Amino acid sequence: MDSIGTETRVDYARVFHQAIDRLHAEGRYRVFIDILRNKGAFPNARCFAGHNGPKPITVWCSNDYLAMGQHPKVIAAMEEALHDVGAGSGGTRNIGGNTHYHVDLEAELADLHGKEAALLFTSGYVSNEATLATMAKILPGCIIFSDELNHASMIAGIRNAGCEKRVFRHNDLAHLEELLAEADPAAPKLIAFESVYSMEGDIAPIAGICDLADRYNALTYLDEVHAVGMYGARGGGISERDAVADRLTIIEGTLGKAFGVMGGYIAADRTIIDVIRSYAPGFIFTTSLSPVLVAGVLASVRHLKSSTAEREGQQAAAAALKAMLRDAGLPVMPGDTHIVPVMVGDPVKAKKISDILLAEYGVYVQPINYPTVPRGTERLRFTPGPAHDEAMMRDLTRALVEIWDRLELRMAA
């Protein structure tokens, strides 16, 4: 058999290099910083990138919002589980990977949201993708109504569902109702949205969306990943704070942000949980979370159900940092949540600011660029926690003002 002529051969290396070159040219090539956190001393950490040995830094962009990944109860629970049952789970949930830790945690999460049952996944991304795709396939002719700023995992789930999709303007109840009214009244409908939008720092009108769902006979799917542990008397999220959890069909959350460990989950009635457990490939064919991780989450969830100190400290820190940055004339984006986004509007400049902060000031914050946010809205996203003190905030503010002046960036109007 003749070999393929050189003129028709695909230059694979060239294609791959071009793909990376495009990211560099657009200023959105992602660099992962090489750091280690200091146990028990968060937000202090050590950076290994570009230094002769570790350099002390302050972390300002962690999603471990309450530093529960450092909490003594969490560490102790994980150590106990490690020495009790070993490291791994042993397989998928249906083949050796179901442990008593998993059963206990699902019961705690169901209770947290006032639902009959819950289901664990290996990440929040997987829980969104697997559940949304499965729900739509179980409901023939389903139409999913999706907020335009929904997370990539929700978009992936809707795409993989292969169903009809209608995108409504961000938090726009009038537009959502317009789309619902246009749809076939007999078609199954599901409204998918988030409670706290992590890049904007704003909150969805959950009660209003539930009103529309009732009016148009739609199911509701709420992503609470940036709110669980953070809001509500027991950390049940915005839906608990606003007393609307009972009106939602499915509540989805993560175990890797405020709870400080790893994993994702959904909470709903027993039948829906059984359907997802029985039909979702992303659950069925994935090795389950290590019982060591599950034990840590279990300790974290139980602690945050009874302790409000971490939430109160975090909210106070976020409010203080927002006020300090605004008073300095920096372009802080408006919002009432724990997220503190500072608008830059240019990917190259956002990366430059991040680089200067790390190299010169020992401040670690990642630039947020497309596709995480729309082009032209690139920003720095600060997540102050209960351990970020006033001195750290003042140092950060002075550094940002100096860099804004150095790079001749626009201050707030």
Side-chain angles (χ1 to χ4, degrees):
M1 182 180 294
D2 293 336
S3 61
I4 298 174
T6 56
E7 69 281 358
T8 61
R9 296 174 70 89
V10 177
D11 186 346
Y12 295 106
R14 180 170 173 268
V15 174
F16 297 143
H17 280 299
Q18 286 177 335
I20 297 298
D21 289 343
R22 284 196 298 273
L23 296 178
H24 280 292
E26 295 171 12
R28 58 188 187 94
Y29 179 77
R30 296 170 188 258
V31 177
F32 299 156
I33 306 302
D34 183 2
I35 71 168
L36 287 174
R37 301 199 296 179
N38 301 331
K39 183 176 77 71
F42 187 79
N44 297 311
R46 295 154 282 166
C47 180
F48 292 83
H51 308 294
N52 293 321
K55 172 186 174 180
I57 62 170
T58 303
V59 178
W60 280 99
C61 56
S62 175
N63 283 340
D64 186 359
Y65 295 130
L66 304 179
M68 289 303 296
Q70 309 280 306
H71 198 282
K73 288 182 180 179
V74 175
I75 302 298
M78 295 179 73
E79 289 177 339
E80 181 181 347
L82 177 64
H83 294 292
D84 183 28
V85 300
S89 69
T92 62
R93 291 287 291 277
N94 62 314
I95 304 180
N98 191 65
T99 75
H100 191 61
Y101 288 108
H102 293 78
V103 174
D104 273 355
L105 180 54
E106 286 174 342
E108 288 285 352
L109 293 168
D111 172 76
L112 179 65
H113 296 292
K115 299 297 183 184
E116 292 180 344
L119 189 67
L120 286 173
F121 294 83
T122 51
S123 73
Y125 188 104
V126 175
S127 55
N128 270 336
E129 190 281 328
T131 304
L132 285 167
T134 302
M135 284 290 289
K137 288 175 180 175
I138 292 295
L139 297 166
C142 181
I143 304 171
I144 295 183
F145 299 81
S146 175
D147 188 288
E148 66 178 342
L149 294 186
N150 276 343
H151 189 270
S153 57
M154 300 174 76
I155 295 170
I158 296 167
R159 182 184 301 117
N160 292 340
C163 67
E164 188 174 346
K165 175 184 70 173
R166 309 279 175 84
V167 178
F168 59 94
R169 290 187 292 272
H170 179 53
N171 283 348
D172 190 329
L173 292 176
H175 189 219
L176 174 58
E177 179 163 24
E178 179 184 324
L179 296 176
L180 287 165
E182 291 173 352
D184 180 357
K189 303 172 184 67
L190 187 152
I191 305 170
F193 61 108
E194 302 181 35
S195 58
V196 173
Y197 287 84
S198 65
M199 296 304 151
E200 311 299 315
D202 59 355
I203 295 173
I206 301 176
I209 291 174
C210 289
D211 290 342
L212 292 177
D214 292 344
R215 192 174 306 154
Y216 292 94
N217 191 30
L219 304 177
T220 49
Y221 182 98
L222 176 65
D223 177 316
E224 285 260 43
V225 297
H226 290 278
V228 290
M230 302 293 295
Y231 301 91
R234 301 192 307 156
I238 299 295
S239 58
E240 182 192 20
R241 186 198 73 175
D242 294 353
V244 291
D246 61 311
R247 302 184 64 190
L248 294 156
T249 310
I250 300 174
I251 296 175
E252 184 267 350
T254 184
L255 308 170
K257 293 184 170 61
F259 292 128
V261 189
M262 180 183 177
Y265 67 91
I266 58 170
D269 69 38
R270 286 192 182 88
T271 304
I272 289 177
I273 294 298
D274 202 17
V275 165
I276 304 303
R277 182 188 70 85
S278 302
Y279 283 90
F283 173 80
I284 296 170
F285 300 107
T286 301
T287 297
S288 67
L289 285 168
S290 161
V292 176
L293 296 172
V294 178
V297 176
L298 192 56
S300 183
V301 172
R302 286 172 172 167
H303 175 80
L304 289 175
K305 278 183 174 181
S306 60
S307 173
T308 62
E310 292 82 6
R311 284 189 283 278
E312 291 168 357
Q314 198 287 326
Q315 291 292 334
L321 181 61
K322 287 177 185 178
M324 208 174 288
L325 297 179
R326 285 196 196 101
D327 290 346
L330 292 160
V332 182
M333 297 173 64
D336 299 319
T337 69
H338 58 283
I339 309 295
V340 185
V342 177
M343 179 61 67
V344 179
D346 179 273
V348 176
K349 291 178 180 176
K351 179 66 167 61
K352 181 69 173 176
I353 298 167
S354 173
D355 289 345
I356 294 173
L357 283 170
L358 185 64
E360 299 183 23
Y361 292 95
V363 167
Y364 175 39
V365 61
Q366 284 283 32
I368 306 297
N369 295 333
Y370 177 85
T372 307
V373 296
R375 297 179 194 275
T377 67
E378 293 81 7
R379 66 203 65 175
L380 303 175
R381 176 182 174 272
F382 297 93
T383 54
H388 287 93
D389 60 31
E390 184 178 345
M392 291 175 180
M393 295 182 195
R394 294 201 180 281
D395 288 344
L396 172 63
T397 302
R398 282 193 290 266
L400 288 171
V401 168
E402 188 279 321
I403 296 168
W404 244 254
D405 182 62
R406 187 194 312 187
L407 302 182
E408 299 181 342
L409 298 172
R410 181 179 297 179
M411 300 294 275

